[in-house]
Amino acid sequence: MKLVKNIAIALTAAAAFAGASFGAGADKHPMQMEWEFEGPFGKMDMSSAQRGWQVYKQVCSACHSLKYFRFRNLADLGYEEDMIKAWAAEYEVAGEIDDAGDPTVRAARPEDAFPSPFPNDNAARASNGGALPPDLSLMAKARHDGPNYIYSLLVGYEDAPAGRDMPAGKQYNPYFKGGAISMAPPLAEGIVEYEDGTAATPEQMAKDVTNFLMYVAEPKLTARHHMGLKVLLFLGILTIILYFSMKKIWKPVKSGKNFYEDK
Ligand code: HEC
């Protein structure tokens, strides 16, 4: 009896732990969206990722860096070198130390990573109510259920439930751990005017910027899936060849003939 009781206690504790860690302290689990890149044969929706780059550039880059993504990586997203150079030049990065020993800044070049708009973390915190806007390069992979999480976070702002006090400068967002986030809702209807004419609703922009951030976190996703497909094809053909070779080799044995006497 004691053993049964102990097992029951252990199971309850494990379930409670699993629940707590899965939810990571947020009120709601991320919405489950359909993404073209999902599944073994999924591929990146390039036009959505391109629109997402527009959203990142015009909205998110005011606070967030992409320190593992270089401007030249935009070439794989389908942009020409001239455009990439011009975009890079809109950002400033640390330059050489000058002759007087002072730090300088220079325009970014395609080989530079997307800089933070703030000179350092303290300055970033000071401008954001004490919270640091995290680097977004790996966000799509770093958070549990990353793409669904980013999407839900961006469109999931709500009025705080009755009786829940929000600290000054924080917004209620049930998808964020603890429910109170220091990022004001970044997306509003029409904040971006898409070059391809797509209507810029908050849902559309959230989807597009999520695709872009997935692309940033894994630029070779489509290539990796293609390689997986090739490997599967190869293994399939190999299986067929092996199957028929096996049949041929074992034929004399199966038909009851003595393999050695036949020779
Ligand atoms: C005005 C500044 C500002 C803008 C613009 C902004 N953010 Fe944020 N963001 C923040 C701050 C500050 C935090 C940290 C919030 C906290 O810790 O409470 C944050 C946090 C986040 C997080 C991380 C949540 C987590 O789990 O830690 C994600 C994802 C995010 N932002 C995505 C975006 C995207 C995508 C955009 C553009 C559509 C964007 N942000 C625009 C300031 C901003």
Side-chain angles (χ1 to χ4, degrees):
M1 235 5 235
K2 204 168 170 213
L3 182 70
V4 174
K5 206 172 143 197
N6 281 346
I7 292 175
I9 291 173
L11 284 178
T12 319
F17 179 74
S21 60
F22 185 71
D27 291 359
K28 285 189 187 169
H29 291 310
M31 302 168 207
Q32 297 300 303
M33 306 295 293
E34 279 186 11
W35 302 101
E36 270 187 36
F37 54 72
E38 269 174 347
F41 306 129
K43 59 179 183 0
M44 180 50 67
D45 176 347
M46 284 306 210
S47 36
S48 175
Q50 285 183 348
R51 288 192 298 269
W53 149 237
Q54 231 188 303
V55 177
Y56 171 78
K57 180 174 183 295
Q58 290 177 24
V59 185
C60 323
S61 75
C63 298
H64 293 277
S65 59
L66 290 178
K67 64 182 173 194
Y68 299 117
F69 191 71
R70 292 173 192 282
F71 288 94
R72 64 162 181 244
N73 296 138
L74 287 169
D76 290 336
L77 205 56
Y79 293 110
E80 302 291 329
E81 203 184 331
D82 292 352
M83 272 174 118
I84 296 174
K85 271 193 184 149
W87 279 328
E90 293 173 21
Y91 295 78
E92 272 187 347
V93 295
E96 312 258 299
I97 302 294
D98 69 9
D99 292 344
D102 294 321
T104 60
V105 290
R106 61 166 172 82
R109 295 190 284 256
E111 64 270 25
D112 291 315
F114 277 77
S116 163
F118 304 104
N120 52 58
D121 285 359
N122 287 0
R125 283 200 183 87
S127 316
N128 287 283
L132 183 69
D135 185 80
L136 295 181
S137 322
L138 299 173
M139 193 52 81
K141 296 254 159 176
R143 293 284 180 270
H144 172 71
D145 202 7
N148 286 323
Y149 171 69
I150 297 174
Y151 177 86
S152 307
L153 191 76
L154 293 175
V155 298
Y157 288 84
E158 291 173 14
D159 292 336
R164 188 143 168 181
D165 281 338
M166 280 290 117
K170 298 211 182 223
Q171 314 273 332
Y172 179 66
N173 189 317
Y175 300 97
F176 189 64
K177 58 179 184 301
I181 189 166
S182 298
M183 167 169 72
L187 300 176
E189 190 81 36
I191 194 172
V192 165
E193 196 175 319
Y194 279 135
E195 278 156 20
D196 67 4
T198 305
T201 61
E203 288 75 18
Q204 182 69 44
M205 288 183 282
K207 179 176 167 250
D208 293 340
V209 80
T210 302
N211 268 320
F212 174 68
L213 290 176
M214 186 64 191
Y215 173 77
V216 168
E218 206 188 334
K220 302 281 178 227
L221 178 136
T222 305
R224 183 167 62 79
H225 285 178
H226 276 167
M227 180 54 87
L229 184 64
K230 278 188 206 154
V231 169
L232 282 184
L233 262 176
F234 170 77
L235 288 178
I237 293 169
L238 191 68
T239 308
I240 294 167
I241 293 173
L242 285 178
Y243 175 75
F244 285 108
S245 327
M246 184 202 73
K247 281 200 100 155
K248 199 174 159 98
I249 292 171
W250 286 89
K251 202 172 170 197
V253 180
K254 283 215 162 173
S255 60
K257 280 189 213 152
N258 186 318
F259 188 71
Y260 296 101
E261 273 176 11
D262 281 353
K263 284 210 165 157

